[in-house]
Amino acid sequence: MTNLFSKSIRAVATFAAMVVTTTAVPAFAVTSPDFPMAGFATQNGGTTGGKGYSEVTVDNVSDLKSYAKAGNKIIYVKPGTYMGPVEVGSNVTIYGYQGAIIAQPASGSAMKLSGSKNVIIRNLKFKGVGAHDDDDEDCLQVNHESKNVWIDHVDVYDGHDGNLDITNASDFVTISWTKFSYTSASTGHQFSNLIGNSKTKTSDRGHLNVTIHHTWWADGVVERMPRVRFGKVHVANNLFDSKNASYCVRAAIEADIRIERNVFIGVQKALDLYTSDGAITAAQMIENYEENVKKPQSGTGTAFKPSYSMSLTDVSTQAKAYALRDSIKLYAGATLPDPGASGTVTPASSSSAKSSSSVASSSSAKSSSSVAPASCSSVVRSSSSQAVSSSSQGIVAGEASLTKHGSGSTKQEVKQGASVEEFYFTVAGATGATVTGLPEGVVGTMKESDFYISGAVAQNADVGEYKFTVTTTGAATNATKSGTITVVSASGTVAESSSSNVDSSSSSEQSTTSLGVVAIAPHFNITVNGRVLTVQGTTQDAYLLDAQGRLITKVQSLGGESSITVPRAGMYLLRVGHETRRITVR
């Protein structure tokens, strides 16, 4: 890109040509672009779910169970909690509205695929009963020779036995843009994902072809991200940052794992080689990013070469790795827009993309340069409309409230690399919440009606005071709560002043494109004139990322203003300091 930045002062232009959403990373109000299917689910004839069959919208558990088991259907699930187990047949797409939750009963699974063929599950939360050290079923199961399954943009947490297991010769499965975690409801056995459930299941040989990409193993997960026996598994462009992790990926008997371009931050072990049950075929570490990994493991053998093509984000530098990390935190989980036309729930396979530089857009899009389907106008809704938990609810009348709970204080002092003491706000009279101003590594997460503040402060986070604000969304009168997290150095010292931090930041960033930020960005404004974005009101550098969090370029601020020419219409992320904004240029 030539002449990408203009340093000249530009007149303030109209906002009519773009939509800007201000968020923290991650943020409840974010709506993800409709990224296409990729990986093993595109093989063996492809995975189309209920495409070509009739559509139905359900708002009660009886109808959901009936239609799901019968199959041959596109099923839209309205907001609400549906108690499992939900058994899934074949040739079916199950796509949730924002706020649709499938709950695991005290015994059994929330959702089970047993011998199911050609299934798509998207945009749902799966709430487990809590992981404990006793024998039961997984929250979400793919079992008994299920084939051609795409699980995309789901949030699975607190599974009784595991969160999601793929077992018994199931095959051609892709898990994408998914979040796995455990909360305080779990007291043990926080082992998230098995692929192959026994060393004696030699019938699994030649099966268990699985791709896992752009997935986030978040706090609470201790092991199995995943643990693999016999399977051929591609683990690519994922985020591993659970502060509870003892190991992430485990290779066991006859596992063939390609561990490629992932981001591992602050975990004990990225890879564990378990040979007690038999020899490992391969567990190859390829171009991963590791930061503060206490027990590095180089891997073993040469893994399989995928039979499909899939574009992967480069994570060779901290800047690139952090960009992918931020994108996954922003979009993993049930963050897709509410369903519209049936064409938007089954986007085209990326394996057919001509370009390897980026993931191809849906076949319904008018231009391949845009990630979001053109027909899916809800992708560029305002922040408040994205956060609604019911498609018919709109703005909630009355005044919202936030009530603080938990042992953690809203005013804490935390060392670099240490975890904050978790606390949460109960959201009432609103559809969600978002947070700004947290230190790097600390996040806000919506769990049903509670908004949690948790996580570990990044090792390289700036020392000083971080004043954060939690704000409800979707209410006629929204509520806010504020607090302060003071980050001190590992040695226990606090920065003398924020201005000295900014000075050191500007000098160090002359020679690096790192997204690690050492000062809290003040409020800034964005205006647009054609494809020129002008950032005003900050002296910090700006980072332009694509929709998947890949760094496009960085521009240094001159005199509180900088300009960026974007290459084409589409959606971008713009990051200044600790604040990220989502921008759609038409």
Side-chain angles (χ1 to χ4, degrees):
M1 295 168 57
T2 58
N3 298 320
L4 184 63
F5 305 111
S6 170
K7 305 299 184 181
S8 61
I9 298 176
R10 300 179 184 274
V12 175
T14 177
F15 280 85
M18 74 172 187
V19 177
V20 178
T21 301
T22 303
T23 70
V25 179
F28 177 73
V30 164
T31 298
S32 174
D34 199 2
F35 298 117
M37 185 192 308
F40 274 116
T42 67
Q43 305 299 286
N44 192 42
T47 304
T48 58
K51 187 176 182 179
Y53 294 94
S54 60
E55 303 174 11
V56 64
T57 299
V58 300
D59 61 5
N60 64 83
V61 70
S62 177
D63 285 348
L64 172 60
K65 289 183 176 182
S66 176
Y67 285 118
K69 188 172 183 178
N72 300 330
K73 191 76 69 176
I74 293 175
I75 304 168
Y76 300 129
V77 185
K78 296 288 277 186
T81 299
Y82 302 77
M83 183 58 69
V86 177
E87 297 178 6
V88 179
S90 296
N91 304 316
V92 61
T93 295
I94 304 176
Y95 187 111
Y97 281 78
Q98 286 289 320
I101 301 169
I102 313 297
Q104 184 179 24
S107 179
S109 295
M111 182 172 283
K112 182 183 295 186
L113 281 65
S114 183
S116 307
K117 309 294 189 295
N118 191 30
V119 175
I120 294 174
I121 299 169
R122 307 185 76 196
N123 211 39
L124 288 166
K125 289 189 176 184
F126 292 90
K127 177 185 178 183
V129 295
H132 308 289
D133 195 12
D134 53 279
D135 189 27
D136 194 54
E137 296 187 27
D138 310 303
C139 194
L140 179 55
Q141 285 191 47
V142 180
N143 204 345
H144 298 299
E145 300 182 23
S146 293
K147 286 183 172 61
N148 287 93
V149 177
W150 183 30
I151 297 171
D152 176 64
H153 279 94
V154 302
D155 186 346
V156 190
Y157 57 99
D158 289 331
H160 198 169
D161 183 44
N163 278 328
L164 192 167
D165 285 4
I166 302 168
T167 58
N168 294 310
S170 294
D171 222 343
F172 304 108
V173 179
T174 293
I175 300 170
S176 56
W177 296 101
T178 288
K179 180 180 178 183
F180 296 112
S181 62
Y182 293 90
T183 71
S184 57
S186 297
T187 59
H189 197 79
Q190 290 159 227
F191 307 153
S192 191
N193 309 104
L194 274 181
I195 300 175
N197 61 347
S198 173
K199 64 182 180 180
T200 64
K201 286 279 181 70
T202 55
S203 57
D204 283 338
R205 287 171 178 157
H207 304 289
L208 300 178
N209 290 286
V210 178
T211 303
I212 307 177
H213 70 89
H214 293 93
T215 286
W216 179 17
W217 284 273
D219 281 349
V221 184
V222 176
E223 297 180 4
R224 301 181 186 174
M225 306 175 225
R227 174 176 177 166
V228 181
R229 301 179 179 97
F230 297 106
K232 188 181 293 182
V233 181
H234 192 189
V235 180
N237 265 181
N238 300 291
L239 172 62
F240 303 80
D241 68 350
S242 172
K243 64 178 180 290
N244 309 96
S246 61
Y247 70 78
C248 296
V249 181
R250 171 172 277 181
I253 181 171
E254 295 184 31
D256 188 355
I257 316 176
R258 185 180 182 93
I259 307 162
E260 187 171 14
R261 295 191 177 185
N262 299 282
V263 176
F264 299 91
I265 299 177
V267 297
Q268 287 285 331
K269 297 175 71 176
L271 173 65
D272 182 69
L273 302 177
Y274 188 82
T275 57
S276 298
D277 294 339
I280 297 166
T281 300
Q284 187 179 5
M285 300 287 278
I286 304 171
E287 299 176 355
N288 297 288
Y289 176 83
E290 298 185 20
E291 180 180 302
N292 297 322
V293 174
K294 297 175 178 60
K295 298 178 181 179
Q297 172 60 254
S298 59
T300 183
T302 301
F304 70 98
K305 184 177 180 180
S307 56
Y308 51 82
S309 61
M310 184 172 74
S311 175
L312 294 178
T313 299
D314 177 16
V315 294
S316 59
T317 67
Q318 186 186 66
K320 293 175 180 178
Y322 279 19
L324 177 65
R325 175 202 64 183
D326 290 350
S327 179
I328 291 173
K329 285 188 174 185
L330 200 64
Y331 295 136
T335 62
L336 288 171
D338 288 344
S342 60
T344 66
V345 301
T346 309
S349 163
S350 67
S351 62
S352 61
K354 293 181 180 180
S355 170
S356 62
S357 61
S358 63
V359 176
S361 65
S362 167
S363 59
S364 62
K366 294 181 180 179
S367 168
S368 62
S369 63
S370 173
V371 177
S375 62
C376 192
S377 59
S378 58
V379 171
V380 293
R381 292 176 298 172
S382 67
S383 174
S384 60
S385 65
Q386 290 163 1
V388 297
S389 59
S390 171
S391 61
S392 60
Q393 187 175 9
I395 298 297
V396 179
E399 186 173 348
S401 66
L402 290 165
T403 305
K404 190 262 178 187
H405 301 280
S407 58
S409 171
T410 56
K411 294 184 178 180
Q412 299 188 33
E413 183 176 291
V414 187
K415 289 184 178 181
Q416 292 168 320
S419 298
V420 299
E421 189 172 0
E422 183 181 82
F423 58 93
Y424 65 95
F425 296 94
T426 297
V427 178
T431 58
T434 186
V435 63
T436 58
L438 292 172
E440 194 74 34
V442 181
V443 298
T445 306
M446 196 75 189
K447 296 287 188 183
E448 297 186 26
S449 61
D450 296 325
F451 191 75
Y452 284 79
I453 304 296
S454 61
V457 176
Q459 291 279 2
N460 61 344
D462 179 36
V463 296
E465 289 188 351
Y466 291 75
K467 296 181 179 180
F468 67 88
T469 301
V470 177
T471 306
T472 61
T473 58
T477 304
N478 284 302
T480 62
K481 292 286 186 179
S482 299
T484 303
I485 295 176
T486 302
V487 176
V488 300
S489 70
S491 60
T493 60
V494 184
E496 294 181 3
S497 69
S498 59
S499 60
S500 64
N501 294 330
V502 174
D503 290 341
S504 64
S505 167
S506 60
S507 61
S508 64
E509 290 191 344
Q510 296 287 336
S511 59
T512 179
T513 57
S514 171
L515 289 181
V517 191
V518 296
I520 301 173
H523 177 71
F524 61 93
N525 296 315
I526 305 172
T527 60
V528 66
N529 185 4
R531 295 207 314 271
V532 178
L533 306 181
T534 301
V535 184
Q536 299 168 314
T538 178
T539 58
Q540 288 196 319
D541 296 341
Y543 299 86
L544 183 68
L545 318 172
D546 69 11
Q548 290 185 272
R550 291 176 290 208
L551 181 65
I552 296 174
T553 194
K554 163 191 166 184
V555 62
Q556 293 176 324
S557 176
L558 293 180
E561 177 171 309
S562 58
S563 294
I564 306 172
T565 301
V566 300
R568 61 183 66 87
M571 200 189 78
Y572 299 89
L573 301 175
L574 185 70
R575 179 171 175 178
V576 178
H578 292 279
E579 188 172 358
T580 299
R581 299 194 187 187
R582 184 167 68 92
I583 303 166
T584 299
V585 178
R586 301 184 189 279

